[in-house]
């Protein structure tokens, strides 16, 4: 399996060569040269596998250059009982009204990013060891991504993490989760400023090519194709578990729909790759919060990203994104993998701030299976309350966006699954608003809040950051 760029400017490359970068040198995104596909019998033969075994099978269709035994060892380490103590790694839980939750937040940071990041941590260490390279991850976080990356890369050889966060703007829980780590290769830096200042510092240093090369700087952001690939696994898993109870002769025609709380379009894109792989997925329903640029796009065909200043701070903060970095991979498929046409659309986007595919909008659902909807703060509160009243289950605000939109897209005879993207204990405020009391903290989380914290406070100053990294980068 080779990988190419959506904009046509990348020599076909192997999986291990593209793992360190999601962005191609021509500014496009890396995609498989051909999306892998398996037949129904192969899919059926995966039914008896445990999660790590299934991950090995699915990821091996993309990572064809990694020997199978090595890939299996990585998947076993990533999806171990230590990282994912819940039986089966990804539990399915039935709610009321024909909706089933897919539990993706059983990992070390209690959010779905762990599902992909744990695999990425293993595979990065493997590739770096084989190529004799090192990687210094420089990132900015306002919450979940930074901690998932740190928990996946802590203690790994040839890797260091420099994670910027805005001083005084993280929740007590987020601070404790990141700053309580004691690994030598994890560096938390609290910048005097807001998230955008952190991100600008990252851009400035990453744009300094000499510095970037000298210190082998890189990222593990949501366009990383290793993450997209690893996320494909739980869509296969979800279909297998949902169809376990179906009579064997009816399984091949058994379809499910999946609703995905979305921000950067990474998670749901993985779902579409799973559909192409051959998983009987009927609808992929995109759930947005008030930052509903993608819902607008899927309903109208006009893509009009908003600026950071026009992005609302909501109670499902991990979806507060108005420029979905992975959308380019979907548009690439929509234009029939025509890199010229894709480049034309992106030129239009940079010149006019939008592009218009309204004449093709009907294909989004008919050909690709996408649907979409929006949920608001009031919807989240009402949904958390209604689900709790009906079932006793507490869901987090992102998952609540999913459940709200899922209910609008249910079809008779088609099970609707909703991806649970975080644990409710991480978002006490809205849970209190909905239920009058916070979700109980698991014991180890309560203990974590008490641990000493390790963080370097720094002015919003690129020179200071350069010096800090130069002194501590791994080589
Ligand atoms: C990252 C995240 C999302 C959005 O996922 P995308 O892949 O960016 O669409 C949704 N919910 C939670 C809790 C997240 O951390």
């Amino acid at each position: 399996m080779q990988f190419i760029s959506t904009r046509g400017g990348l020599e076909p490359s192997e999986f291990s060569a593209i793992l360190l970068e999601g962005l191609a040198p021509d500014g496009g995104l890396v995609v498989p040269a051909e999306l892998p596909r398996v037949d129904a019998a192969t899919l059926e033969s995966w039914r008896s596998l445990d999660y790590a075994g299934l991950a090995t099978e699915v990821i091996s269709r993309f990572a064809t250059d990694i020997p199978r035994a090595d890939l299996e060892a990585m998947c076993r380490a990533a999806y171990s009982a230590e990282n994912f103590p819940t039986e089966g790694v990804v539990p399915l839980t039935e709610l009321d009204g024909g909706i089933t939750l897919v539990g993706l937040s059983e990992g070390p940071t209690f959010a779905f990013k762990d599902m992909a990041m744990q695999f990425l941590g293993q595979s990065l260490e493997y590739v770096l060891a084989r190529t004799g390279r090192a990687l210094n991850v420089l990132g900015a976080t306002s919450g979940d991504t930074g901690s998932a990356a740190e928990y996946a890369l802590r203690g790994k050889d040839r890797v260091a993490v420099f994670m910027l966060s805005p001083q005084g703007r993280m929740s007590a829980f987020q601070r404790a989760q990141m700053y309580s780590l004691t690994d030598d290769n994890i560096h938390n830096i609290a910048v005097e400023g807001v998230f955008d200042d952190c991100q600008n510092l990252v851009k400035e240093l990453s744009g300094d090519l000499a510095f970037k090369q000298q210190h082998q700087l890189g990222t593990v952001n949501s366009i990383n194709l290793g993450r997209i690939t690893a996320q494909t696994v739980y869509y296969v898993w979800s279909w297998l578990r949902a169809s376990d109870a179906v009579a064997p002769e009816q399984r091949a025609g058994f379809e499910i729909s999946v609703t995905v709380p979305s921000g950067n379009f990474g998670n749901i894109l993985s779902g579409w790759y799973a559909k192409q792989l051959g998983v009987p997925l009927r609808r992929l329903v995109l759930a947005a919060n008030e930052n509903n640029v993608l819902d607008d796009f899927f309903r109208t065909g006009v893509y009009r990203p908003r600026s950071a200043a026009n992005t609302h701070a909501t109670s499902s903060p991990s979806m507060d994104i108005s420029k979905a970095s992975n959308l380019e991979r979907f548009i690439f498929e929509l234009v029939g993998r025509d890199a010229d046409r894709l480049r034309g659309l992106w030129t239009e986007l940079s010149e006019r701030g939008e592009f218009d595919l309204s004449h093709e909008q009907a294909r989004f659902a008919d050909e690709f299976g996408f649907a979409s909807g929006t949920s608001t703060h009031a919807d989240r509160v009402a949904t958390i309350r209604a689900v709790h009243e009906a079932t006793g289950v507490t869901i987090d605000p992102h998952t609540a966006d999913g459940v709200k939109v899922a209910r609008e897209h249910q079809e008779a005879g088609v099970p609707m699954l909703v991806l649970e993207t975080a644990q409710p204990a991480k978002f006490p405020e809205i849970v209190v608003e909905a239920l009058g009391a916070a979700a109980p903290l698991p014991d180890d989380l309560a203990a974590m809040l008490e641990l000493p914290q390790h963080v370097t406070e720094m002015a919003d100053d690129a020179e200071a950051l350069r010096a800090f990294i130069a002194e501590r980068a791994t080589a």
Side-chain angles (χ1 to χ4, degrees):
M1 162 76 65
Q2 303 275 304
F3 294 85
I4 57 173
S5 166
T6 50
R7 303 196 193 172
L10 175 71
E11 280 298 306
S13 309
E14 304 270 18
F15 187 81
S16 44
I18 55 106
L19 195 61
L20 303 185
E21 284 277 355
L23 199 62
D26 61 356
L29 300 189
V30 172
V31 289
E34 202 181 314
L35 289 172
R37 191 164 180 87
V38 300
D39 58 21
T42 305
L43 199 55
E44 200 49 45
S45 72
W46 293 348
R47 186 170 295 279
S48 57
L49 299 175
D50 64 3
Y51 195 88
L54 181 67
T56 308
E57 289 297 341
V58 173
I59 298 172
S60 73
R61 295 328 199 250
F62 296 86
T64 49
D65 58 325
I66 300 182
R68 200 190 163 76
D70 295 352
L71 190 61
E72 168 134 36
M74 285 177 224
C75 290
R76 295 263 157 231
Y79 302 110
S80 65
E82 194 190 3
N83 285 336
F84 296 90
T86 304
E87 176 79 33
V89 178
V90 174
L92 268 60
T93 308
E94 266 180 55
L95 295 184
D96 56 313
I99 287 185
T100 298
L101 280 189
V102 178
L104 301 181
S105 52
E106 308 297 314
T109 73
F110 309 97
F112 99 95
K113 303 271 186 316
D114 291 326
M115 295 302 305
M117 210 67 97
Q118 285 295 328
F119 170 75
L120 190 63
Q122 296 294 332
S123 51
L124 278 179
E125 187 178 48
Y126 173 86
V127 168
L128 292 171
R130 298 236 299 194
T131 54
R133 292 174 61 184
L135 177 67
N136 290 290
V137 170
L138 174 61
T141 189
S142 55
D144 287 336
T145 317
S147 49
E150 291 189 352
Y151 280 76
L153 298 173
R154 59 192 291 204
K156 294 273 182 290
D157 284 338
R158 298 169 183 274
V159 182
V161 178
F162 297 86
M163 192 58 68
L164 312 184
S165 50
Q167 233 174 72
R169 290 182 188 253
M170 308 256 287
S171 71
F173 186 91
Q174 289 169 330
R175 281 198 308 271
Q177 194 160 49
M178 290 177 55
Y179 303 166
S180 66
L181 288 178
T182 54
D183 307 79
D184 291 340
N185 71 331
I186 302 295
H187 307 284
N188 285 304
I189 302 163
V191 175
E192 280 170 25
V194 296
F195 175 65
D196 278 340
D197 299 318
C198 298
Q199 220 165 12
N200 286 336
L201 284 171
V202 171
K203 277 189 197 148
E204 180 166 347
L205 265 63
S206 308
D208 176 348
L209 291 185
F211 187 81
K212 183 178 178 200
Q213 265 175 6
Q214 185 187 356
H215 297 295
Q216 311 194 70
L217 295 190
T219 55
V220 290
N221 55 23
S222 76
I223 58 172
N224 182 289
L225 201 75
R227 286 177 61 181
I228 301 289
T229 305
Q231 288 167 187
T232 302
V233 178
Y234 50 72
Y235 288 89
V236 187
W237 176 264
S238 298
W239 180 80
L240 287 168
R241 297 296 75 84
S243 59
D244 274 337
V246 174
E249 63 279 6
Q250 284 166 12
R251 281 178 190 152
F254 176 78
E255 289 187 319
I256 59 169
S257 291
V258 183
T259 300
V260 188
S262 292
N264 263 320
F265 202 74
N267 196 351
I268 197 165
L269 176 81
S270 299
W272 191 75
Y273 282 6
K275 187 170 159 70
Q276 295 316 104
L277 188 70
V279 180
L281 297 173
R282 181 172 159 72
R283 284 271 175 268
L284 287 161
V285 183
L286 180 145
N289 65 16
E290 291 88 335
N291 297 297
N292 55 358
V293 168
L294 286 177
D295 180 32
D296 280 348
F297 170 66
F298 278 96
R299 281 185 299 99
T300 66
V302 177
Y303 181 53
R304 191 180 295 133
R306 295 182 201 140
S307 65
N310 287 317
T311 303
H312 310 280
T314 75
S315 52
S316 48
S318 299
M319 295 157 61
D320 290 349
I321 289 162
S322 298
K323 197 166 152 253
S325 43
N326 277 293
L327 188 70
E328 181 168 338
R329 290 183 166 124
F330 168 65
I331 304 292
F332 182 63
E333 306 297 338
L334 195 74
V335 299
R337 302 196 138 220
D338 177 344
D340 290 338
R341 196 164 161 225
L342 183 118
R343 278 199 309 274
L345 288 172
W346 254 258
T347 305
E348 203 176 318
L349 188 60
S350 66
E351 285 168 1
R352 302 182 34 231
E354 63 176 66
F355 59 69
D356 183 349
L357 292 170
S358 52
H359 55 295
E360 310 214 35
Q361 189 271 343
R363 294 177 59 216
F364 301 178
D366 299 348
E367 227 175 275
F368 291 85
F370 282 99
S372 74
T374 290
S375 157
T376 64
H377 179 76
D379 293 326
R380 289 187 278 284
V381 172
T383 305
I384 292 170
R385 191 176 293 145
V387 167
H388 188 263
E389 271 171 15
T391 64
V393 174
T394 306
I395 56 174
D396 97 289
H398 307 80
T399 309
D401 287 327
V403 171
K404 187 266 180 182
V405 173
R407 293 207 196 279
E408 298 165 350
H409 290 275
Q410 282 179 281
E411 296 170 289
V414 185
M416 176 61 86
L417 277 57
V418 175
L419 302 187
E420 182 198 48
T421 55
Q423 298 256 344
K426 296 186 82 168
F427 302 94
E429 278 173 24
I430 189 169
V431 175
V432 170
E433 186 179 344
L435 305 180
L441 273 187
D443 288 348
D444 36 346
L445 288 195
M448 186 187 76
L449 288 169
E450 305 299 321
L451 293 173
Q453 300 191 358
H454 311 272
V455 58
T456 302
E457 301 200 338
M458 198 178 281
D460 177 9
D461 174 1
E463 279 321 306
L465 182 59
R466 273 195 180 83
F468 185 89
I469 292 174
E471 203 173 300
R472 293 167 181 82
T474 186

